[in-house]
């Protein structure tokens, strides 16, 4: 967790230097709305899943543990897909949220991360409930490192095509997809 925070801190410094003050501000506004979406999608799910999984683990109810993770996954996936579709369909109507039109474009690059986070939060809760804390911490660290690497690579190859804030959005989405896949692998291995 400390390493994850440390890399996140270094990445924010690098991001501010790479994007500049104006573009970083535009990205931060879109990122704030993205964080609200994450709260809507995953608020309480990991905690509820971890508590239910832990209580079912005590009773040696493996089928119940799997049912809890599956139910959380279905609920969070449906909610995230609906939320993303609403944003995509009504993106022109949602422009009142932003003073800069680039924000909605950046928010759209972050939508795959909303869906991936729905998957991640369900399985993370289950791993917490089975006391696989290292798996969750490792996944978060891997996501942070992968995000930095993807941002640097995309900046190098796509800077003329996309602006830095869109690249930051895509790197976040790709890293969240990566961490969702990784936490699913840990879930099925454990």
């Amino acid at each position: 967790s400390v390493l994850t925070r440390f890399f996140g801190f270094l990445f924010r410094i690098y991001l501010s230097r790479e994007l500049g003050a104006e573009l970083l501000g535009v990205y931060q506004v879109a990122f704030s709305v993205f964080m609200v979406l994450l709260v809507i999608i995953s608020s309480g799910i990991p905690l509820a899943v971890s508590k239910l999984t832990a209580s079912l683990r005590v009773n040696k109810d493996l089928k119940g543990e799997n049912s809890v993770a599956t139910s959380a996954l279905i609920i969070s996936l449906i909610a995230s897909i609906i939320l993303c579709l609403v944003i995509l369909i009504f993106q022109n109507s949602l422009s009142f949220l932003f003073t800069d039109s680039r924000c909605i474009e950046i928010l759209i690059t972050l939508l795959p991360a909303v869906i991936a986070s729905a998957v991640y939060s369900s399985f993370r809760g289950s791993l917490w409930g089975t006391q696989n804390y290292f798996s969750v911490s490792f996944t978060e660290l891997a996501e942070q490192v992968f995000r930095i690497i993807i941002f640097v690579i995309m900046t190098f190859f796509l800077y003329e095509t996309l602006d830095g804030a869109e690249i930051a959005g895509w790197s976040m989405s790709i890293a969240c997809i990566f961490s969702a896949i990784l936490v699913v692998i840990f879930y099925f291995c454990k």
Side-chain angles (χ1 to χ4, degrees):
S1 293
V2 170
L3 280 175
T4 302
R5 301 293 179 248
F6 178 71
F7 283 130
F9 174 73
L10 290 180
F11 181 62
R12 281 185 182 72
I13 293 170
Y14 175 73
L15 197 62
S16 68
R17 292 182 180 186
E18 194 66 34
L19 299 182
E22 179 187 354
L23 206 49
L24 182 63
V26 170
Y27 175 74
Q28 284 300 119
V29 170
F31 195 78
S32 297
V33 174
F34 165 73
M35 293 304 289
V36 171
L37 298 177
L38 283 186
V39 167
I40 292 169
I41 295 306
S42 61
S43 181
I45 287 179
L47 181 60
V49 170
S50 70
K51 284 186 173 195
L52 288 170
T53 300
S55 68
L56 292 166
R57 168 88 19 147
V58 169
N59 297 329
K60 299 186 187 323
D61 185 0
L62 183 61
K63 186 178 178 183
E65 285 181 48
N66 293 333
S67 295
V68 167
T70 303
S71 299
L73 177 64
I74 291 169
I75 291 167
S76 61
L77 265 179
I78 290 171
S80 66
I81 290 170
I82 290 171
L83 202 55
C84 289
L85 285 173
V86 166
I87 289 172
L88 286 172
I89 292 168
F90 298 107
Q91 62 183 304
N92 293 332
S93 301
L94 294 173
S95 63
F96 75 90
L97 291 173
F98 308 111
T99 57
D100 192 317
S101 63
R102 295 176 289 182
C103 290
I104 195 75
E105 295 167 8
I106 297 164
L107 181 61
I108 289 170
T109 67
L110 291 166
L111 291 181
V114 173
I115 296 171
S117 295
V119 173
Y120 176 78
S121 66
S122 302
F123 289 107
R124 179 182 68 186
S126 183
L127 289 171
W128 278 349
T130 57
Q131 297 180 348
N132 287 304
Y133 306 116
F134 179 78
S135 299
V136 175
S137 295
F138 178 80
T139 302
E140 290 174 359
L141 177 62
E143 175 187 331
Q144 191 69 261
V145 170
F146 192 69
R147 180 180 177 202
I148 294 167
I149 292 169
I150 291 297
F151 180 80
V152 170
I153 291 170
M154 288 180 75
T155 300
F156 184 74
F157 288 108
L158 298 174
Y159 203 75
E160 293 178 12
T161 311
L162 299 172
D163 71 24
E166 287 177 304
I167 292 172
W170 282 116
S171 68
M172 178 68 165
S173 286
I174 293 167
C176 285
I177 292 167
F178 171 76
S179 68
I181 291 168
L182 193 58
V183 83
V184 168
I185 290 169
F186 279 129
Y187 173 82
F188 284 107
C189 287
K190 300 286 183 186

